[in-house]
């Protein structure tokens, strides 16, 4: 299975290595560097790179390449999914996953990796169990550790792996018992020049933060579960119950976790909350082009659209842009040709607008391609699909927990063609 | 300075302070993590292996595992510490000792490792057994000579019933002995049933292994269609073959002609993996997808589409795309998701190209116009590689769908005036291929392309144009010689492929229009003669000989025109996904399209299914043909259990009190229990579903009849013609509520009503195989002396009886100890106490087997009867004799285990006090003090499940009576000095009293 892992930063330094079987020389990474050079962009590095004696599988997240070395046949997704799980675990442990943080916590990182695999086969990947084995660092504990000289290794032997509910540790205690659920929906859409929708889909997730004492057994039901077309669950969810009653019934892990990912059935029409009006024109003879975009709200169910951000990759022929926004900040990078405009909130009375001219390379003819516009936005307190949580009940424990549900809609891959 | 710092570390390690040691170890581990060499510290570190401080110890272990291989002699110093750890009472310490010991790659300790693994494989704790499974491949990679011994351990662990072990042992199986598919037979059903509760990574490994297994054991579900659909020619030959077989009176071909019925085990696998498509783990989803792809009937494969599209939509889809790539070529499956594959300008090029591939594959008459409109947008993209791929995609659509060929061609021709040379070049190449299909109509396009030779510089495009003009020079008779003239001028400066095509063009023109081109051709050939490239020189020489007639020129000269201007078939534009079908989908080899080390071939379906009975938990039997028939019929009826349950000792009719009792109970919880029953029924349906698909095979049992005297046993086949008997499975999944912690979760998964009876998943008939519960108590019905050689035993298999969950199943086994056959064995009308009920089933015809003297697991379909414990009588008669026998079940068998949490238990217990509580004091014997024995004794005495309990000295168990569903709660509290209190809470007081007696007896033994 997984032989070794190398962590490589964007400048090509191997800053951490871990071997679960005998040691594989780090020179094997040379093949990776070759592939990286060929790919020019980090996103384009092939996920699987064969070398004469090994196979290198990698994921690129947080500006770090996680490169796993394998020697024999293994389903590639097995390795890739595991690498993602490693990243998620680091994020869970340290709040962020970055080169600096990993370097600062190198001993904890190494110990966590040691526990995650045994002989290259996953052993403990549930963050609840790992946290029992190796405690995540906190500022307080770091201070205490420096004074007392202790480490983050759990002083008690963990029992989580042996429990009936392997994803939840036993003996959890809180003074404030609370369970929060965030329903977050993302709209992936392609809008064409004329403003009509070419494709639009809604992907949603329910992220939970559950801090409840003991072994609570929760059920979450929806007003309109039929909306959910395709779902995937955290292992704690009882599948049969969902099949028969469309109710989420589960003993939650402790802390943050993703309860459910879903896709809203394609039959439903997706409400598009914003529109973009654009007028981008290059003229053949002139070295100047005109540029104007306006962003406005469309089907927002009366909510405010905020956090709006417009980015666009301009054609190579564009040398510079001189634009005036009606609100927000804009930048244009003449090297990468990336235009970005941080719009902020949309005020329906006064629509945000960005207008000006582009200076084009003299002597060349107009570019044949028009730039596409990528949009980001957020709408609080709205699940655009209309999904509503009906109720949350707790069984198995006596106390009354505090319950909270939050809805949010975001732009996923939202693109407007021009 | 480096050595200085290490001295510093050594000093710290030698100090007495744990904090200094710890600091030193942390710095050393940080060095290892950065890839720095810390091997010279080995002696200083290894000294600390026995350090009391658990934190230091842990880091020392990390160090050891990393460097032991390099410092073998010194590493041996640490071994005794781990050997001690292996004996520790704490299971976690045992496990971690084994883990480190097996990770030290020092060949000299192989025997120690082997011993440790063997011991750990029989450890009480499933966690230690899991670690043992992990250690197996480690030892195997260290010393492959241990294979045979390791296989024994694997075999043993495969029989383990816990979800914790299942994934790890299958992993070990795959690494050590993937070819020993026979080891899986007996565990197949168990693995299928455990699957949903195994951790994610184990699921992937098990699913992949079972895919391979299924390919060797079952018949192709598409055997009929595949012949017809995929290749009509083949179907034709196929039927031919069948016909010829039909001529012969061959038994095998007769079987073959039967309509295909899926093996229930095959169906079991498909059904149990399907929910895992909903896993959050992409690897699991992919594993199930490939399982369906390789094993499911064509009509069912579609279910994976939705899940696969989900993987691809995911934001971290890079790798997912790569892996799922081939599944995407499955025709039609993804059509509803067409729009999910539309391309965004922000997608990485790799994904853009894969999406394009999918869109092209999905294109058909109905959606082609939408797709082409999409393609038009793509052509204007800034990403030129992607534009080139799009042009190729358009070409493929045009070849596949005749309707749009002209549209595509026109579109491509327009691209010829694109400013980007790459785009033009790609278009030329694609147009060339398209024109080859119908050149006559497109001389205009060829002319247009001829003009392009002036501008276009990309060699491949130039070569394509020249080839086109040469090939169709008759359509452009005026232009072709002029192109040759121009090209001969620039010949020396051209790339090699262009030069070759110039020669080609010259030769073709010489043959068709020698008047105009003779000189030009000779000029070109002369130039080529002195070219630097030997290919070009060769070609020129060869062509000159072939086309220019001389006295010496051979017979080929006459055919030169035919050779050069033969009709050439149009190229087929194919998907790059093709030709990978022979690799298992989703495997590394599949992705790379090359066999990776350790890849296990996915076998072809067998032509004839191997014996399905190998998966029965019994040992298969030998030949059995031509022996006389044994008939066995049984019809019993039983009193209403509700009424009798109160009156065990006097087997008279029920008292009025019990009637009112049950009545009031019914009022209180009637609704709820009804619901539960319904649920149970539903569950049963689900479970029995596939069996009903083919009742014939489900009803056919192959059994051994065990003989007590060695060498005098008869083996029989029992053929059960009764459908009612279909519920009595020959095998049941081997689960055990005590060894499988996840079992309770499974149970909750089903109904998640904690108080329901988890009968469907508690079939401890498999206890016969369990090392822990090795003794299934059997009761004698007829002694072999009294029965004149025929002995009859029965036992309670604790399995649910599907036709009626309110009945208790009994299995009866007959053993023939005589030398001759026993004929016409029947059970005649039993004498029943009034009110008793019995599940009726029809006559069973038994085929006796030949004489086999081996000991087997005697599992017979049994008598099934509603739970009560009055006497009943069975008379079984051989052709000459009649025996009167009776069965009296112990009270502990009349219940089914219930899962509940500690809190629920307490809540229920508080409702059942006073009259409903029966307590007894008892003394526990020495040998009966350990947790394990107590639990084992209690569960042997009664069919109950353990309830988790916070206190050390307390044991709790819960069950429900099978007939009425009344709760029975058992508490055993250990006091000091071997004394204990046993409490049973139940509204059925008689049951309670008897249970107290039985349990205290069991504990006192």
């Amino acid at each position: 299975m997984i032989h070794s892992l190398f962590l490589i930063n964007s400048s090509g330094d191997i800053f951490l290595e871990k071997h679960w079987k005998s040691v594989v020389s780090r020179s094997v990474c040379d093949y990776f560097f070759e592939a990286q050079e060929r790919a020019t962009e980090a996103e384009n590095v092939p996920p699987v790179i064969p070398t004469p004696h090994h196979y290198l599988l990698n994921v690129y997240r947080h500006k770090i390449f996680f490169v796993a070395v394998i020697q024999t046949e293994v389903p590639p997704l097995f390795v890739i999914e595991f690498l993602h799980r490693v990243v998620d675990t680091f994020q869970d442990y340290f709040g962020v996953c970055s080169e600096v943080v990993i370097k600062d916590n190198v001993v904890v990182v190494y110990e966590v990796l040691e526990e995650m695999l045994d002989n290259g086969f996953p052993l403990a990947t549930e963050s609840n169990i790992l946290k029992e084995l190796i405690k995540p660092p906190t500022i307080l504990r770091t201070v205490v550790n420096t004074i007392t000289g202790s480490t983050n290794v759990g002083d008690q032997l963990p029992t989580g792996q042996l429990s009936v509910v392997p994803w939840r540790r036993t003996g959890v205690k809180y003074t404030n018992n609370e369970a929060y659920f965030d329903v977050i929906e993302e709209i992936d859409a392609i809008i064409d020049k004329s403003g009509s929708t070419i494709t639009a889909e809604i992907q949603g997730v329910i992220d939970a933060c559950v801090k409840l004492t003991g072994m609570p057994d929760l059920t979450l039901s929806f007003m309109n579960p039929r909306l959910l077309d395709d779902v995937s669950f955290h292992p704690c969810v009882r599948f049969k119950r969902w099949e028969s009653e469309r109710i989420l019934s589960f003993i939650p892990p402790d802390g943050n976790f993703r309860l459910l990912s879903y896709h809203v059935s394609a039959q439903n029409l997706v409400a598009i909350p914003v529109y973009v009006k654009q007028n981008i024109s290059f003229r053949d003879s002139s070295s100047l082009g005109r540029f104007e975009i306006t962003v406005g709200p469309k089907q927002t169910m009366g909510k405010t659209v905020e956090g709006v951000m417009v980015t666009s990759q301009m054609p190579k022929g564009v040398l510079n842009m001189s634009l005036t926004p009606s609100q927000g900040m804009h930048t244009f990078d003449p090297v990468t040709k990336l235009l970005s405009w941080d719009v902020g909130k949309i005020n329906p009375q006064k629509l945000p607008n960005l207008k000006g001219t582009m200076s084009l390379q003299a002597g060349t003819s107009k570019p044949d391609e028009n730039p596409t516009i990528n949009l980001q936005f957020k709408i609080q307190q709205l699940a655009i699909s209309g999904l509503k949580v009906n109720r949350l009940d707790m069984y198995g424990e006596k106390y009354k927990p505090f319950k909270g549900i939050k809805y949010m809609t975001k732009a996923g891959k939202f693109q407007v063609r021009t | 300075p480096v050595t200085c710092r290490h001295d510093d570390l050594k000093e710290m390690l030698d100090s007495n302070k744990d904090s200094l040691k710890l600091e030193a170890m942390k710095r050393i581990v940080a060095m290892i993590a950065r890839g720095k060499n810390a091997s010279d510290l080995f002696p200083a570190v290894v000294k600390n292996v026995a350090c009391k401080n658990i934190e230091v110890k842990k880091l020392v272990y990390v160090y050891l595992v990393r460097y032991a291989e390099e410092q073998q002699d010194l590493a041996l110093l640490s071994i005794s510490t781990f050997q001690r750890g292996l004996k520790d009472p704490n299971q976690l310490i045992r496990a971690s000792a084994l883990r480190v010991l097996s990770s030290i790659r020092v060949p000299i300790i192989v025997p120690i490792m082997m011993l440790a693994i063997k011991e750990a494989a029989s450890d009480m704790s499933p966690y230690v057994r899991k670690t043992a499974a992990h250690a197996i491949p480690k030892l195997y990679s260290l010393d492959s000579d241990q294979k045979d011994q390791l296989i024994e351990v694997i075999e043993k662990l495969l029989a383990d019933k816990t979800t914790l072990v299942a994934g790890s042992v299958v992993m070990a199986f795959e690494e050590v002995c993937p070819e020993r598919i026979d080891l899986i037979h007996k565990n197949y059903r168990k693995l299928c049933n455990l699957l949903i509760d195994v951790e994610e990574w184990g699921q992937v490994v098990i699913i992949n292994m079972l895919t391979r297994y299924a390919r060797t054991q079952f018949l192709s579900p598409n055997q009929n269609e595949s012949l017809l659909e995929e290749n009509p020619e083949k179907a034709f030959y196929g039927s031919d073959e069948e016909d010829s077989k039909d001529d012969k009176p061959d038994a095998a071909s007769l079987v073959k002609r039967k309509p295909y019925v899926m093996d229930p085990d095959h169906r079991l696998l498909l059904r149990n993996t399907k929910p895992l498509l909903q896993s959050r783990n992409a690897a699991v989803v992919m594993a199930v997808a490939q399982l369906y792809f390789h094993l499911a009937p064509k009509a069912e494969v579609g279910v994976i589409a939705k899940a696969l599209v989900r993987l691809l939509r995911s934001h971290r889809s890079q790798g997912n795309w790569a892996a799922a790539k081939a599944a995407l070529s499955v025709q039609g499956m993804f059509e509803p998701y067409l729009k999910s594959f539309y391309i965004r300008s922000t997608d990485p090029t790799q994904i853009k190209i894969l999406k394009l591939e999918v869109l092209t594959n999905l294109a058909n008459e109905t959606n082609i116009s939408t797709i082409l409109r999409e393609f038009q947008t793509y052509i204007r993209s800034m990403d030129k590689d992607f534009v080139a791929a799009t042009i190729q995609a358009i070409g493929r659509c045009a070849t596949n769908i005749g309707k749009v060929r002209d549209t595509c061609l026109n579109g491509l021709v327009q691209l010829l005036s694109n400013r980007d040379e790459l785009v033009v070049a790609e278009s030329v190449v694609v147009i060339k291929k398209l024109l080859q299909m119908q050149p006559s109509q497109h001389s205009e396009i060829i002319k247009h392309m001829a003009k392009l030779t002036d501008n276009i510089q990309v060699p491949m495009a130039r070569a394509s144009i020249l080839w086109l003009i040469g090939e169709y020079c008759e359509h452009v008779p005026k232009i072709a010689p002029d192109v040759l003239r121009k090209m001969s001028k620039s010949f020396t400066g051209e790339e090699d492929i262009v030069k070759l095509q110039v020669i080609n063009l010259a030769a073709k023109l010489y043959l068709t229009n020698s008047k105009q081109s003779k000189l030009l051709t000779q000029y070109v050939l002369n130039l080529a003669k002195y070219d630097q490239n030997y290919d070009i020189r060769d070609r020129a020489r060869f062509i000159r000989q072939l086309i220019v007639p001389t006295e010496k020129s051979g017979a080929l000269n006459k055919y030169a025109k035919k050779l050069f201007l033969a009709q050439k078939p149009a190229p087929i534009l194919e998907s790059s996904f093709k030709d990978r079908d022979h690799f298992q989908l989703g495997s590394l080899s599949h992705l790379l399209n090359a066999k990776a080390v350790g890849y296990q071939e996915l076998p072809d379906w067998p032509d004839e299914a191997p014996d399905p009975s190998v998966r029965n938990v019994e040992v298969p039997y030998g030949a059995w043909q031509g022996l006389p028939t044994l008939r066995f019929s049984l019809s019993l009826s039983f009193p209403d259990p509700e009424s009798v349950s109160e009156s065990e000792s006097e087997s008279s009719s029920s008292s009025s009190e019990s009637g009112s009792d049950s009545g009031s109970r019914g009022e209180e919880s009637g609704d709820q229990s009804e619901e539960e029953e319904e649920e149970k029924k539903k569950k049963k349906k689900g479970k029995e579903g596939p069996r009903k698909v083919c009742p014939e095979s489900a009803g056919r049992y192959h059994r051994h009849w065990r003989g007590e005297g060695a060498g005098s046993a008869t083996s029989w086949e029992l053929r059960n013609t009764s459908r009612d008997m279909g519920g009595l499975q020959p095998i049941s999944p081997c689960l055990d509520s005590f060894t499988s912690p996840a079992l309770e979760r499974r149970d909750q998964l089903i109904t998640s009503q904690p108080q329901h009876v988890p009968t469907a998943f508690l079939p401890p008939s498999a206890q016969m195989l369990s090392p822990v519960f090795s003794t299934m108590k059997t009761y004698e019905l007829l002694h072999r002396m009294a029965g004149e050689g025929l002995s009859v035993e029965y036992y309670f298999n604790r399995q649910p009886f599907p036709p009626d969950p309110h009945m208790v199943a009994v299995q009866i086994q007959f053993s023939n100890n005589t030398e001759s056959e026993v004929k016409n064995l029947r059970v005649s009308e039993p004498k029943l106490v009034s009110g008793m009920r019995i599940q009726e089933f029809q006559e069973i015809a038994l085929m006796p087997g030949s004489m086999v003297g081996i000991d087997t697991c005697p599992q017979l379909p049994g008598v099934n009867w509603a739970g009560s414990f009055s006497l009943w009588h069975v008379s079984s008669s051989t052709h000459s004799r009649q025996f009167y026998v009776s069965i009296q079940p112990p009270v502990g068998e009349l219940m089914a285990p219930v899962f509940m949490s500690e809190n629920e238990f307490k809540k229920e217990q508080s409702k059942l006090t006073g009259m409903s509580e029966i307590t007894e004091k008892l003394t526990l014997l020495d040998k009966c003090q350990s947790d394990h024995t107590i639990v084992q004794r209690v569960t042997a005495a009664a069919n109950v499940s353990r309830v988790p309990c916070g206190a050390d000295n307390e044991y709790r168990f819960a069950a429900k009576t099978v007939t009425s569903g009344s709760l029975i709660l058992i508490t055993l509290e250990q006091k000091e000095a071997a004394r204990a209190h046993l409490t049973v809470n139940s509204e059925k007081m008689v049951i309670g009293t008897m249970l107290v007696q039985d349990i205290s007896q069991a504990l006192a033994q």
Side-chain angles (χ1 to χ4, degrees), chain B residues 391 394-395 407-416 427 430-431 434:
Chain B
I391 294 168
I394 293 174
T407 328
C408 289
L409 205 51
N410 287 334
L412 289 171
V413 169
Q414 276 169 29
L415 285 180
L416 292 178
S427 312
V430 174
I431 289 172
L434 287 180

Side-chain angles (χ1 to χ4, degrees), chain B residues 401-693:
Chain B
I401 302 160
K403 201 178 79 177
V404 292
R405 197 166 295 152
D406 287 345
T407 328
C408 289
L409 205 51
N410 287 334
L412 289 171
V413 169
Q414 276 169 29
L415 285 180
L416 292 178
S417 48
N418 193 292
R419 239 161 309 175
D420 193 285
E421 194 175 65
L422 207 76
V423 174
V424 179
E426 202 64 45
S427 312
V428 167
V429 176
V430 174
I431 289 172
K432 178 201 122 187
K433 290 177 182 165
L434 287 180
L435 286 184
Q436 242 179 303
M437 295 178 175
Q438 40 196 170
S440 52
Q441 306 155 21
H442 298 294
S443 46
E444 276 309 308
I445 296 173
I446 297 175
K447 274 178 205 162
H448 181 84
M449 288 173 78
K451 281 180 206 151
L452 284 173
T453 45
D454 295 340
N455 309 319
I456 201 163
Q457 291 307 320
V458 177
M460 190 60 210
R462 288 177 78 86
S464 293
I465 295 173
L466 291 174
W467 184 87
L468 211 56
I469 293 169
E471 191 65 23
Y472 306 115
C473 51
E474 276 151 358
H475 299 293
V476 282
K478 291 195 175 142
I479 292 172
D482 197 47
V483 172
L484 181 62
R485 181 183 61 82
K486 280 185 182 166
M487 291 312 295
S488 58
K489 256 161 97 182
S490 61
F491 184 85
T492 44
E494 297 288 348
E495 288 275 333
D496 291 348
I497 43 166
V498 184
K499 284 178 181 169
L500 289 174
Q501 287 310 326
V502 176
I503 299 171
N504 225 340
L505 172 66
K508 284 174 184 167
L509 281 177
Y510 185 91
L511 291 171
T512 53
N513 185 2
S514 62
K515 211 173 84 191
Q516 275 185 302
S517 52
K518 192 172 177 185
L519 285 172
L520 276 171
T521 307
Q522 285 189 338
Y523 174 66
V524 168
L525 290 177
N526 280 335
L527 285 176
K529 194 174 170 184
Y530 298 106
D531 199 87
Q532 288 188 320
N533 187 304
Y534 60 79
D535 261 349
I536 292 166
R537 294 198 301 272
D538 275 359
R539 180 75 63 90
R541 211 167 294 142
F542 160 72
I543 284 182
R544 191 191 292 271
Q545 286 300 314
L546 198 61
I547 59 172
V548 184
T550 60
E551 310 89 61
K552 277 190 254 167
S553 64
L556 273 178
N557 200 327
K558 277 184 264 173
Y559 302 106
K561 199 166 180 177
K562 272 190 182 167
L563 284 173
F564 277 102
L565 294 167
Q567 274 287 322
K568 294 170 185 76
I572 300 156
L573 303 174
E574 271 197 333
S575 157
S576 62
F577 295 165
K578 286 260 162 77
D579 298 333
R580 296 186 175 204
D581 300 347
H582 47 290
F583 288 115
Q584 190 166 358
L585 199 65
S587 67
L588 184 63
S589 307
H590 188 279
L591 177 68
L592 299 170
N593 202 14
K595 197 173 161 180
V597 184
Y599 174 75
Q600 294 291 323
E601 293 284 349
L602 192 64
D604 266 337
W605 296 103
D607 291 334
E608 268 173 65
D611 186 359
S613 66
V614 288
R615 285 178 296 278
N616 296 356
V617 182
E618 306 83 356
V619 173
Y621 58 97
W624 45 268
Q625 280 172 336
L627 287 167
T629 309
L630 176 82
R631 290 202 175 276
F632 173 54
S633 76
L634 179 88
S635 54
L636 301 166
S637 70
F638 278 77
D640 181 2
E642 199 61 32
S643 50
V644 192
S645 57
E646 301 289 335
S647 51
E648 169 271 331
S649 39
E650 329 90 344
S651 57
S652 59
S653 58
S654 60
S655 68
S656 57
E657 192 192 325
S658 80
S660 65
D661 183 357
S662 64
S664 61
R665 193 200 65 85
E667 271 166 33
E668 279 163 23
S669 58
D671 285 355
Q672 194 198 350
S673 67
E674 251 174 54
E675 261 173 42
E676 274 168 26
E677 275 165 40
E678 253 176 51
E679 240 164 40
K680 262 185 272 177
K681 271 175 209 156
K682 262 188 248 157
K683 212 168 55 190
K684 294 278 153 50
K685 261 186 211 157
K687 202 153 167 72
E688 299 311 320
R691 307 281 173 189
K692 281 174 186 153
V693 171

Side-chain angles (χ1 to χ4, degrees), chain B residues 632 634 636 638 725 728 776-779 781 792-801 807-814 836 838-839 841 858-868 872 874 886-890 893-894:
Chain B
F632 173 54
L634 179 88
L636 301 166
F638 278 77
M725 291 293 289
L728 285 166
M776 160 77 69
K777 197 168 178 187
T778 54
Y779 304 85
L781 198 59
V792 184
E793 287 176 327
Y794 67 93
Y795 62 89
F796 299 88
N797 67 1
R798 293 186 177 178
Q799 267 183 297
F801 181 58
M807 291 180 135
V808 174
V810 188
Q811 296 209 327
I812 303 181
Q813 94 204 28
F814 297 84
M836 269 178 111
I838 187 161
Q839 176 74 32
F841 56 88
Q859 272 188 311
L860 269 184
V863 182
N864 312 281
W865 106 108
S868 161
W872 57 274
V874 184
S886 67
I887 290 178
Q888 180 167 21
E893 301 297 344
L894 300 177

Side-chain angles (χ1 to χ4, degrees), chain A residues 401-412:
Chain A
F402 186 81
K403 300 177 275 194
I405 306 269
K406 217 168 74 184
Y407 297 92
M408 180 151 73
T409 298
K410 288 201 285 192

